[in-house]
Amino acid sequence: MHLLIIGAAGMIGRKLAERVAVTGRIGDRAVDTLTLADVVEPEAAQDFAGTRHAVTADLTEPGTAERLIGARPDIVVHLAAIVSGEAEADFDKGYRINLDGTRALFDAIRLTDGYAPRVVYASSLAVFGAPFPDVIADDFHLTPLTSYGTQKVMGELLLDDYSRRGFMDGVGIRFPTICIRPGRPNKAASGFFSGILREPLNGQEAVLPVDEDVRHWHASPRSAVGFIEHAATMDTAALGSRRNVTMPGVSATVGDQIKALRQVAGDATAALIRREPDPTIARIVGGWPRDFDTARARDLGFRAETSFREIIEVYVEDELDGKLPSG
């Protein structure tokens, strides 16, 4: 089976590729060919036992999508995007990458005769817009309040329609905010949710730009990989015409995050968080959803953490070799 991961140099793409390299599988399906694509050449999964291809590819460039699809991969995982803050700051770039690139990929699949792969599309909670009920169900209307969210809604609708027409067998997964993200901060408006935990757990000071009562929906990188693996191999008959699903997660305030950090790593670690309000970030995050009823996703077999302490413990185990900061 041939697996193509587009956006493989990003955090989730790298982790998925490394998982496939270790297990030789995605979900319950054996992988013998793994193609990793991104705008920079991916470096992950060097030890994959099967055939590995790493390619530099920009979906917005003519012919790129056709080149990637020419090998007719059985499963296509589409993670390539620019994140929320950058898409809001650069309108043209956001639409070019998040919408035009997605349309180019889907059309390359559509125009390949006798070919209808499983396509896993990475969407976002940004497809929803305020005002919200206390708990948001899967059938809540899609009225995004950012350009990024609008681009993701368009991608979801394309996925639904192309799947309905039989061009692909699509599953759209609306990721929670993935926390704690390892590595360097990115340009996502949500980046501080990871930063206020990651930096202190690495013995560094972190900046908190919003109030502690800000509440949001979270899951770990480990869960993110699990979502993709399940979406790649699940029976899609249960989805019907509603191909996009909000993933399980943990609803927590920033205060809850800090409390969990203190419980896991102690007061000295939590004290490394510095309050520095940023009205722009606060405005963007203030329009985001806070809590979800994800019974549909759970019924379909998707799983995530059940407490924020568990999310921190996953980071310590996966990224810090189980070792907490001293002091």
Side-chain angles (χ1 to χ4, degrees):
M1 193 273 292
H2 183 180
L3 169 64
L4 167 62
I5 305 173
I6 304 174
M11 184 272 291
I12 296 175
R14 290 196 309 272
K15 284 188 171 291
L16 175 61
E18 294 295 349
R19 171 74 174 166
V20 172
V22 169
T23 65
R25 313 180 71 83
I26 183 165
D28 59 2
R29 297 191 62 184
V31 177
D32 53 51
T33 303
L34 176 62
T35 299
L36 308 178
D38 212 317
V39 292
V40 296
E41 184 173 329
E43 298 179 356
Q46 297 280 0
D47 54 348
F48 177 62
T51 301
R52 174 187 176 276
H53 305 286
V55 298
T56 303
D58 182 346
L59 287 177
T60 66
E61 294 293 329
T64 296
E66 291 80 2
R67 177 164 56 92
L68 291 174
I69 296 305
R72 302 170 75 98
D74 302 280
I75 298 173
V76 179
V77 177
H78 180 30
L79 299 168
I82 63 167
V83 292
S84 53
E86 189 174 4
E88 195 69 9
D90 192 331
F91 183 88
D92 291 327
K93 184 178 181 181
Y95 274 89
R96 185 174 67 253
I97 293 174
N98 294 343
L99 177 60
D100 297 344
T102 296
R103 176 74 185 275
L105 174 67
F106 289 2
D107 275 344
I109 292 170
R110 175 176 66 88
L111 296 171
T112 301
D113 289 340
Y115 177 58
R118 175 65 56 86
V119 175
V120 180
Y121 172 65
S123 190
S124 166
L125 301 182
V127 299
F128 301 108
F132 300 117
D134 290 339
V135 179
I136 299 169
D138 255 338
D139 57 0
F140 188 70
H141 51 80
L142 304 184
T143 52
L145 297 178
T146 63
S147 295
Y148 174 77
T150 302
Q151 293 147 16
K152 287 299 181 180
V153 170
M154 292 175 174
E156 287 194 6
L157 293 173
L158 289 172
L159 187 83
D160 280 338
D161 195 38
Y162 283 46
S163 295
R164 179 184 66 84
R165 295 293 298 268
F167 303 138
M168 62 176 63
D169 184 16
V171 184
I173 50 179
R174 296 177 186 136
F175 281 107
T177 287
I178 300 305
C179 187
I180 304 167
R181 299 179 66 94
R184 298 178 61 84
N186 63 19
K187 295 182 180 180
S190 60
F192 72 88
F193 285 119
S194 287
I196 61 171
L197 305 170
R198 178 186 59 239
E199 271 68 83
L201 285 168
N202 286 280
Q204 301 168 356
E205 190 176 70
V207 172
L208 173 60
V210 301
D211 293 336
E212 289 192 21
D213 62 356
V214 167
R215 178 178 292 275
H216 198 45
W217 189 247
H218 305 272
S220 74
R222 185 190 294 177
S223 288
V225 170
F227 298 154
I228 297 170
E229 289 192 292
H230 185 61
T233 56
M234 67 182 287
D235 181 358
T236 55
L239 291 171
S241 60
R242 297 169 58 207
R243 291 281 175 152
N244 298 280
V245 186
T246 303
M247 293 294 100
V250 175
S251 177
T253 65
V254 170
D256 293 333
Q257 289 184 271
I258 296 171
K259 179 180 178 181
L261 177 65
R262 187 173 286 111
Q263 291 171 342
V264 171
D267 292 340
T269 300
L272 291 170
I273 300 170
R274 185 178 82 249
R275 280 70 176 169
E276 191 175 296
D278 183 325
T280 300
I281 296 294
R283 176 184 56 80
I284 293 173
V285 174
W288 286 354
R290 300 181 174 193
D291 198 359
F292 290 87
D293 175 0
T294 57
R296 181 177 182 234
R298 294 194 302 273
D299 288 346
L300 290 167
F302 293 97
R303 297 290 181 265
E305 293 78 19
T306 57
S307 72
F308 207 91
R309 177 167 183 158
E310 187 180 353
I311 289 175
I312 294 177
E313 289 170 344
V314 165
Y315 177 81
V316 173
E317 182 177 339
D318 289 356
E319 307 299 334
L320 301 179
D321 296 324
K323 299 175 183 177
L324 290 169
S326 58

